[in-house]
Amino acid sequence: MTKIECNNNVLMYEGILSEFYLDNEGRFTYIVLQNCYRYSMEFNSRALDLHSQLPLFKDQFNRSQIWNYLTISGENIANVLFEKVGSLDDSAEGTQVLDEAISTDQAVSRP
């Protein structure tokens, strides 16, 4: 959900989280969504009405205009909801790579 409002509607995006960055306070500096769609949510006195999913741009049906990534800067982010899709399988090789990356990162960040 963004902080962008128009006519009592808030602009929202849904997509696959590709990348994100947090500042030292834990706030989003930016997020990058892949293959995203846009929505708007209307605030009225009775309920929050979610409008239909729309392509990122209205002329997105032309194959040459498909946008793979959208970056949203932190100052425009009101809220982010992460939804787990699928599952991850543990493997000995993956655990070893992760352990090596963590030990390398800790060695580099020590004064």
Side-chain angles (χ1 to χ4, degrees), residues 44-103:
N44 63 42
S45 59
R46 296 173 296 152
L48 299 174
D49 296 326
L50 186 62
H51 295 210
S52 299
Q53 172 181 307
L54 298 169
L56 191 56
F57 298 104
K58 67 180 180 178
D59 296 330
Q60 191 166 342
F61 300 107
N62 179 345
R63 201 64 187 147
S64 66
Q65 294 180 347
I66 292 178
W67 294 77
N68 290 329
Y69 298 95
L70 174 71
T71 301
I72 304 171
S73 62
E75 61 266 8
N76 290 319
I77 298 172
N79 197 355
V80 177
L81 172 66
F82 295 104
E83 181 180 347
K84 181 181 175 183
V85 178
S87 63
L88 298 175
D89 295 327
D90 292 340
S91 70
E93 181 183 354
T95 302
Q96 180 182 353
V97 169
L98 180 60
D99 288 342
E100 289 172 5
I102 291 171
S103 65

Side-chain angles (χ1 to χ4, degrees), residues 23-36:
D23 66 13
N24 291 337
E25 302 295 320
R27 292 180 298 247
F28 283 101
T29 302
Y30 66 85
I31 62 173
V32 179
L33 299 177
Q34 188 175 3
N35 301 329
C36 65

